């Protein structure tokens, strides 16, 4: 527990050590678990945006890591003007503990449409490949390509062809509705391998199911309805070509799509937790892709 709260997946950084990014800074351990070094964060506040367990992934570029920006207490997220202030990613420097926010919404983004969006609906999914940063902004089904060096120019954008995707368009007034995160379509993870995009996404509820959701029900009926929605709208993975055209699409079944990562040009995912199994371990699954004629 020396890292305090873990904010990102662990990263192997040499043939004898790995690094943890947590509330107490960047901590380097050897493979026996002995702490080798610690670099405190220059500025730290408990983040507004968090993810359970091992947090968000971070990608290495040069000597630094690319990581999601976890929100600021200085921004009024209920204001339309906030979409001009939000930074989506951070550079993390494990040698100094400093972070540098960068990348804003492009003018073509859904989030610059003049509408209001629920808090953190823009949580980015991103990957790094060929010295480019590929990023999708939460509910917006588009991958944006950015240069990985200052001034981080936008190179192009790729609309994604995702079956049954319910595209949240925003509202005329700011609303606080905690169910929107679960019911809206959103991009959970993206990776690029062999010239293809692998996109993990939640399709979102249909309009009829949204109306049913907000109908008053007894507690037991509400629980049954929620369970039915979990089965009806499982997380999915889409395989898309470089132009965003759909090649294949499937239910993630026993795999946790949010955990998807590429190591040594291989695609890996975590097994979905099985509560009934009551086991004290989990499996890592190496996933193969093949084209079916």
């Amino acid at each position: 527990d020396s890292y305090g709260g873990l904010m990102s997946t662990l990263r192997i950084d040499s043939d004898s050590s790995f690094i943890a990014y947590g509330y107490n800074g960047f901590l380097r351990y050897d493979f026996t678990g002995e702490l080798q070094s610690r670099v405190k964060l220059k500025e730290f506040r408990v983040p507004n945006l968090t993810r359970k367990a091992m947090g968000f992934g971070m990608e290495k570029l040069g000597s630094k890591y690319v990581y999601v920006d976890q929100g600021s207490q200085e921004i009024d997220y209920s204001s339309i003007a906030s979409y001009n202030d939000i930074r989506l990613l951070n550079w993390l420097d494990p040698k100094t503990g400093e972070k540098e926010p960068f990348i804003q919404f492009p003018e073509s983004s859904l989030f610059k449409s003049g509408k209001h969006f629920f808090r953190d609906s823009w949580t980015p999914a991103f990957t790094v490949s060929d010295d480019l940063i590929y990023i999708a902004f939460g509910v917006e089904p588009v991958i944006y390509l950015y240069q990985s060096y200052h001034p981080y120019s936008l190179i192009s954008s790729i609309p994604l062809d995702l079956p049954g995707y319910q595209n949240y368009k925003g509202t005329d007034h700011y609303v606080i509705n905690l169910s929107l995160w679960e019911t809206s379509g959103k991009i959970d993870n993206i990776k690029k391998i062999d010239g293809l995009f692998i996109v993990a996404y939640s399709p979102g509820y249909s309009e009829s199911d949204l109306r049913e959701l907000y109908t008053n029900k007894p507690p037991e009926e509400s629980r049954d309805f929620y369970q039915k929605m979990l089965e009806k709208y499982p997380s999915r993975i889409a395989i898309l070509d470089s132009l965003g055209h759909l090649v294949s699409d499937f239910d993630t079944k026993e795999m946790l799509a949010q955990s998807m990562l590429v190591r040594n040009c291989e695609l890996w995912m975590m097994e979905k937790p099985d509560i009934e199994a009551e086991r004290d371990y989990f499996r890592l699954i190496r996933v193969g892709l093949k084209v079916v004629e």
Side-chain angles (χ1 to χ4, degrees), residues 207-258:
E207 290 187 10
S208 60
D209 284 332
L210 283 174
R211 287 193 295 269
E212 180 68 18
L213 173 68
Y214 296 123
T215 302
N216 288 328
K217 304 180 187 65
E220 186 174 344
E221 285 187 24
S222 292
R223 285 193 298 271
D224 290 344
F225 177 78
Y226 180 69
Q227 184 59 41
K228 180 181 176 183
M229 294 300 100
L230 287 176
E231 296 170 1
K232 184 175 181 179
Y233 299 112
S235 219
R236 302 190 65 82
I237 287 181
I239 313 297
L240 305 116
D241 66 16
S242 60
L243 298 177
H245 299 147
L246 188 68
V247 175
S248 182
D249 181 87
F250 53 90
D251 181 349
T252 55
K253 301 186 186 303
E254 74 276 13
M255 297 175 291
L256 194 62
Q258 292 87 341

Side-chain angles (χ1 to χ4, degrees), residues 13 26 39 72 84 113 132-133 142-143 183 189 191-192 213 223 249 255 264 276 279-280 285:
D13 70 336
F26 289 95
V39 176
S72 169
N84 295 321
S113 65
L132 297 174
I133 297 173
V142 177
I143 293 177
T183 60
N189 199 337
K191 292 292 175 276
K192 190 169 184 283
L213 173 68
R223 285 193 298 271
D249 181 87
M255 297 175 291
N264 296 325
E276 296 181 359
R279 59 178 181 239
D280 59 355
I285 302 171

Side-chain angles (χ1 to χ4, degrees), residues 47-60:
N48 297 330
L49 175 63
T50 59
R51 179 177 283 175
K52 291 181 181 179
M54 297 187 76
F56 300 95
M58 58 183 184
E59 297 285 343
K60 192 170 186 179

Side-chain angles (χ1 to χ4, degrees), residues 87-216:
R87 266 46 174 193
L88 284 308
L89 296 176
N90 276 319
W91 283 114
L92 302 177
D93 190 334
K95 294 181 179 179
T96 65
E98 294 178 327
K99 69 177 181 179
E100 176 194 350
F102 73 111
I103 292 190
Q104 295 178 273
F105 295 120
E107 290 302 317
S108 60
S109 171
L110 178 68
F111 293 96
K112 299 298 286 289
S113 65
K115 298 288 186 178
H116 289 268
F117 294 84
F118 60 91
R119 180 68 186 275
D120 299 325
S121 59
W122 50 83
T123 301
F126 69 95
T127 192
V128 172
S129 179
D130 304 320
D131 287 329
L132 297 174
I133 297 173
Y134 299 80
I135 180 171
F137 305 131
V139 301
E140 185 177 10
V142 177
I143 293 177
Y144 293 96
L145 280 68
Y146 285 90
Q147 293 176 336
S148 59
Y149 49 88
H150 192 272
Y152 312 113
S153 299
L154 176 65
I155 296 173
S156 63
S157 60
I158 305 171
L160 302 178
D161 177 15
L162 300 175
Y165 190 85
Q166 303 298 318
N167 195 357
Y168 185 81
K169 300 293 201 310
T171 56
D172 292 329
H173 303 283
Y174 183 71
V175 296
I176 298 176
N177 184 339
L178 299 180
S179 68
L180 287 173
W181 181 255
E182 296 295 333
T183 60
S184 301
K186 61 182 179 296
I187 310 302
D188 297 314
N189 199 337
I190 58 174
K191 292 292 175 276
K192 190 169 184 283
I193 187 170
D194 294 335
L196 297 170
F197 290 109
I198 296 87
V199 177
Y201 70 100
S202 303
Y205 289 17
S206 67
E207 290 187 10
S208 60
D209 284 332
L210 283 174
R211 287 193 295 269
E212 180 68 18
L213 173 68
Y214 296 123
T215 302
N216 288 328

